[in-house]
Amino acid sequence: MDCAPASETAYLPEGVRTAVKLLVVGHFAVGKTTFVGALSEIRPLRTEEVMTQAGFLVDDLTGSRDKTTTTVALDFGRVTLNDTLVLYLFGAPGQRRFTGLWRDLTRGALGALVLADTRHLDRSFEVMGLLEELGLPYAVALNDFDSRPAYSLDEVREALDLLPSTPLLRCDARDRVSATETLIALVTHLLARTGELENV
């Protein structure tokens, strides 16, 4: 497990007055840990462990044959979006056996970013269904894997049966600029829905 050392970035600026909890969710091996790591201004906390033989038997590694570790609790990172607003990112494990923990992580969250993979769009339905069951608003970001099928956003929106109001965009979870733009789109969506941060 990694955690942040004390440093200048370990402390919030004095002007920060609003903290928001956001989830980064998605199916197994979709890039959640990578996304949080690309964005976090502090050294992210990770709870990755080496996959065991038992894990290989239950986790579908199609398209992710080189994956040797998996998140077993959560990923955590922090992003100071402006002088007054800080975002706390909680990446949830994607396997079904962690659903209980996943539900606990949603408590107190303002919304979620669903990372999706166009090679396995069907795996996103369970994640989105749980968010809808819990009443947690979300945006969807397609993580641009090198081998992804070249579907248009309109095709993906139809395949996922997304509401017109649900943001859908492309993202490279490895790239800080791309990940930041995705996060801003999510926060903008939440602002429009709730107005809770309208004075930030």
Side-chain angles (χ1 to χ4, degrees), residues 55-68:
F56 284 113
L57 293 175
V58 296
D59 296 326
D60 187 350
L61 290 171
T62 304
S64 308
R65 292 295 178 187
D66 295 332
K67 185 173 178 61
T68 58

Side-chain angles (χ1 to χ4, degrees), residues 15-80:
V16 170
R17 56 188 175 85
T18 304
V20 174
K21 178 181 180 180
L22 299 174
L23 300 188
V24 179
V25 299
H27 61 75
F28 173 68
V30 76
K32 301 178 294 294
T33 297
T34 300
F35 183 90
V36 173
L39 273 173
S40 184
E41 66 199 15
I42 60 173
R43 185 177 171 188
L45 181 146
R46 296 184 172 127
T47 57
E48 286 200 309
E49 296 293 341
V50 175
M51 293 182 66
T52 63
Q53 187 61 38
F56 284 113
L57 293 175
V58 296
D59 296 326
D60 187 350
L61 290 171
T62 304
S64 308
R65 292 295 178 187
D66 295 332
K67 185 173 178 61
T68 58
T69 62
T70 187
T71 299
V72 295
L74 58 88
D75 298 310
F76 174 78
R78 189 188 77 200
V79 181
T80 303

Side-chain angles (χ1 to χ4, degrees), residues 59-177:
D59 296 326
D60 187 350
L61 290 171
T62 304
S64 308
R65 292 295 178 187
D66 295 332
K67 185 173 178 61
T68 58
T69 62
T70 187
T71 299
V72 295
L74 58 88
D75 298 310
F76 174 78
R78 189 188 77 200
V79 181
T80 303
L81 206 57
N82 59 39
D83 291 339
T84 62
L85 174 62
V86 65
L87 307 178
Y88 291 111
L89 306 179
F90 289 78
Q95 298 95 315
R96 182 176 297 179
R97 62 185 178 274
F98 293 117
T99 298
L101 171 63
W102 202 92
R103 286 176 179 272
D104 290 340
L105 287 175
T106 65
R107 293 175 185 166
L110 189 65
L113 179 70
V114 178
L115 284 182
D117 179 354
T118 54
R119 299 171 300 178
H120 308 290
L121 283 178
D122 58 307
R123 298 182 188 175
S124 296
F125 286 111
E126 185 174 8
V127 172
M128 294 187 301
L130 185 53
L131 290 174
E132 290 167 5
E133 177 187 329
L134 295 169
L136 199 64
Y138 60 89
V140 178
L142 304 177
N143 192 8
D144 275 336
F145 289 91
D146 295 334
S147 58
R148 65 174 173 81
Y151 298 123
S152 70
L153 290 180
D154 286 341
E155 289 175 310
V156 173
R157 180 176 292 279
E158 182 177 356
L160 292 178
D161 194 25
L162 296 178
L163 294 173
S165 59
T166 301
L168 173 64
L169 54 158
R170 297 192 185 281
C171 169
D172 184 341
R174 302 164 296 184
D175 182 76
R176 183 178 179 84
V177 172

